[in-house]
């Protein structure tokens, strides 16, 4: 492998570390993404097969297990034959047929052997959800994006200083007024866990919805500010960049919400005594942490944590709306994110130039000067597909 080929591989690894794997040319959404997740998908598959056994069947479980093994091996064997592989070979790449088998085969076992149709249907839905989550986590480098944002969190928070100065005083005023009211404590503590967390989830979903609204304009502005080169961004690259922006703003909102939560936990532990809680709630509550503080008992209770979480959820929603409508924040955030990504986009330009020199089309339909150099290609033994990865 020559120096250019090594540099191409190095740049592609850098794109993955930056949470932008879709900057890699000819990256397959299905094969490359799910092939990298083969160990995880295999583990899920085995667990679901074991879970399909009827624990109340006693020794009949042995027959069910043998029958399930026959179905699984037969299904995979037939797929291997259709795909041109040996009957018992292990797939080295994952395509649409393998994904269909992953979704449907574990769901067939409880239907065939126990007539558990609802369980089979639930398994299909769970497997589809797992594939979607895998696609986001692996295909868009979610873990690397989160790490990239966490490392730069305080630099990105600098974009929201002006918003914090304007929003936090008003937010604290209204939240303080509501925090010390009987109704707030009764509302957040009298509901059951499912209803309570559904309400908190609504705060989160609404906040994410407000952040998603402005993503297209953020992506366009970041592209313009960062000077991404003469090759326009593909759709998957724009989606990847949008996910980086979304997680950047989401973690900022989470940081503000976490700070508000911690503030009210401490404030409630200091000022809301057992006598006050008894008068507000008319029932005892679980004490999680109890410590002596200058002769007084400072207690953190389950009720306090519920109320603080509810107030923090509302604070996060309020802050998400604030950064959506604040034009000064939008400009500052775009500038900061563009500066953080400028190095990545400069490496993208170098990467595309190297591929062009080796005859790889970096734009669909682009004429090339020759055949792509095999030194930078990875060929699939099953499909014959090559990519510059």
């Amino acid at each position: 492998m020559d120096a250019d080929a090594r540099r191409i591989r190095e740049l592609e690894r850098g794109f993955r570390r930056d949470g932008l794997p879709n900057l890699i040319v000819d990256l397959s959404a299905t094969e490359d993404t799910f092939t990298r997740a083969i160990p995880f998908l295999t583990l899920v598959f085995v667990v679901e097969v074991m879970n399909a056994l009827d624990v109340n069947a006693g020794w009949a479980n042995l027959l069910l297990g043998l029958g399930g093994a026959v179905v699984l091996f037969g299904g995979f064997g037939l797929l291997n034959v259709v795909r041109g592989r040996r009957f018992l070979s292990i797939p080295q790449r994952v395509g649409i047929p393998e994904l269909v088998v992953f979704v449907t085969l574990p769901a067939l076992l409880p239907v065939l052997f126990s007539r558990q149709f609802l369980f089979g249907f639930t398994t299909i839905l769970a497997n589809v959800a797992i594939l979607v989550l895998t696609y986001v986590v692996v295909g868009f480098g979610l873990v690397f994006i989160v790490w990239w944002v966490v490392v730069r969190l305080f630099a990105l928070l600098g974009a929201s200083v002006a918003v914090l100065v304007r929003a936090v005083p008003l937010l604290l005023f209204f939240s303080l007024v509501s925090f010390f009211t009987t109704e707030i404590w009764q509302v957040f503590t009298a509901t059951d866990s499912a209803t309570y967390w559904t309400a908190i989830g609504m705060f989160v979903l609404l906040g994410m919805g407000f952040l998603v609204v402005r993503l297209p304009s953020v992506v366009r502005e970041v592209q313009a500010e960062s000077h991404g080169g003469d090759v326009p961004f593909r759709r998957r690259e724009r989606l990847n960049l949008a996910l980086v922006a979304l997680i950047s703003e989401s973690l900022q909102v989470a940081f503000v919400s976490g700070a508000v939560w911690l503030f009210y936990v401490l404030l409630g532990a200091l000022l809301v005594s057992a006598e006050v809680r008894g008068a507000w709630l008319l029932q005892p509550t679980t004490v999680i942490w109890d410590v002596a503080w200058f002769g007084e008992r400072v207690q953190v209770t389950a009720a306090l944590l519920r109320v603080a979480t509810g107030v923090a959820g509302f604070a996060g929603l309020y802050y998400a709306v604030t950064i959506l409508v604040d034009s000064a924040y939008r400009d500052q955030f775009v500038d900061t994110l563009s500066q953080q990504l400028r190095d990545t986009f400069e490496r993208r330009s170098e990467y595309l130039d190297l591929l062009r020199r080796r005859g790889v089309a970096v734009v669909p339909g682009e004429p090339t000067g020759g055949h792509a150099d095999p030194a930078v290609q990875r060929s699939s033994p099953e499909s014959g597909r090559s990519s510059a990865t």
Side-chain angles (χ1 to χ4, degrees):
M1 185 184 300
D2 60 22
D4 284 352
R6 287 195 297 270
R7 179 57 178 165
I8 288 173
R9 290 183 180 274
E10 178 185 342
L11 291 170
E12 290 176 343
R13 287 194 295 268
F15 295 150
R16 293 189 185 278
R17 287 194 301 269
D18 291 345
L20 291 167
N22 289 285
L23 295 184
I24 298 174
V25 172
D26 199 24
L27 185 72
S28 169
T30 54
E31 292 191 6
D32 290 281
T33 297
F34 293 111
T35 298
R36 294 172 66 87
I38 282 179
F40 169 71
L41 296 179
T42 301
L43 177 62
V44 171
F45 189 85
V46 172
V47 170
E48 288 184 344
V49 170
M50 298 299 296
N51 190 49
L53 298 179
D54 187 355
V55 295
N56 298 318
W59 286 100
N61 261 333
L62 178 60
L63 297 177
L64 293 175
L66 291 175
V70 170
V71 173
L72 294 177
F73 279 108
F76 268 113
L78 291 175
L79 176 62
N80 283 334
V81 172
V82 171
R83 298 277 276 174
R85 301 186 293 257
R86 291 179 300 173
F87 188 84
L88 294 179
S89 63
I90 299 176
Q92 299 300 312
R93 299 192 65 78
V94 175
I96 297 298
E98 287 82 6
L99 296 180
V100 172
V101 169
F102 171 82
V103 170
T104 56
L105 267 188
L108 286 177
L109 298 183
V111 173
L112 293 177
F113 297 108
S114 304
R115 302 300 181 190
Q116 300 181 44
F117 294 97
L118 180 60
F119 185 70
F121 179 71
T122 304
T123 301
I124 290 178
L125 294 181
N127 285 343
V128 171
I130 289 172
L131 291 182
V132 171
L133 182 61
T134 302
Y135 178 77
V136 174
V137 172
V138 179
F140 288 91
L142 184 62
V143 175
F144 291 108
I145 291 175
V146 172
W147 175 248
W148 186 91
V149 173
V150 168
V151 170
R152 297 161 176 79
L153 179 60
F154 289 101
L156 294 170
L157 278 172
S160 60
V161 170
V163 179
L164 285 170
V165 170
R166 290 194 297 270
V168 168
L170 187 62
L171 173 62
L172 286 178
F173 173 76
F174 286 108
S175 60
L176 274 172
V177 171
S178 61
F179 183 78
F180 291 108
T181 59
T182 305
E183 292 78 11
I184 287 292
W185 282 71
Q186 291 177 346
V187 165
F188 282 124
T189 58
T191 55
D192 60 78
S193 296
T195 305
Y196 172 80
W197 289 111
T198 299
I200 299 299
M202 288 178 59
F203 284 136
V204 175
L205 290 177
L206 284 173
M208 293 292 288
F210 282 112
L211 296 180
V212 168
V213 165
R214 61 184 296 265
L215 284 181
S217 62
V218 169
V219 171
R220 288 194 299 270
E221 292 173 19
V222 169
Q223 286 182 237
E225 291 285 339
S226 300
H227 309 294
D230 60 336
V231 178
F233 283 77
R234 296 167 296 154
R235 182 173 179 272
R236 282 178 56 82
E237 291 176 309
R238 293 195 299 271
L239 288 175
N240 208 160
L241 182 57
L243 189 59
V244 171
L246 176 62
I247 293 178
S248 299
E249 292 190 322
S250 298
L251 286 184
Q252 292 182 56
V253 173
F255 180 85
V256 172
S257 299
V260 170
W261 179 85
L262 182 60
F263 172 76
Y264 280 111
V265 168
L266 295 175
L267 189 66
L270 292 172
L271 299 183
V272 182
S273 63
E275 293 77 12
V276 175
R277 289 197 307 271
W280 285 351
L281 302 178
L282 303 177
Q283 60 183 358
T285 182
T286 304
V287 177
I288 297 175
W289 185 65
D290 189 324
V291 67
W293 182 259
F294 294 104
E296 300 289 337
R297 305 305 302 179
V298 175
Q299 296 178 333
V300 175
T301 65
L304 172 59
L305 295 180
R306 273 192 165 217
V307 175
T309 303
V311 174
F314 171 76
L317 175 59
Y318 174 83
Y319 187 68
V321 175
T322 301
I323 64 178
L324 172 67
V325 300
D326 192 291
S327 58
Y329 167 81
R330 292 199 301 271
D331 295 339
Q332 186 64 34
F333 174 76
V334 168
D335 290 342
T336 304
L337 188 61
S338 300
Q339 291 173 5
Q340 298 293 333
L341 289 172
R342 184 165 289 124
D343 179 63
T344 301
F345 290 150
E346 288 176 355
R347 285 186 280 115
R348 174 181 181 264
S349 297
E350 178 189 357
Y351 170 70
L352 296 180
D353 288 340
L354 288 172
L355 290 181
R356 278 171 168 160
R357 281 189 352 216
R358 306 183 79 88
V360 177
V362 299
V363 178
E366 180 185 44
T368 60
H371 296 291
D373 194 320
V376 297
Q377 290 185 326
R378 177 188 59 199
S379 298
S380 167
E382 301 169 16
S383 62
R385 190 183 68 86
S386 299
S387 65
T389 305

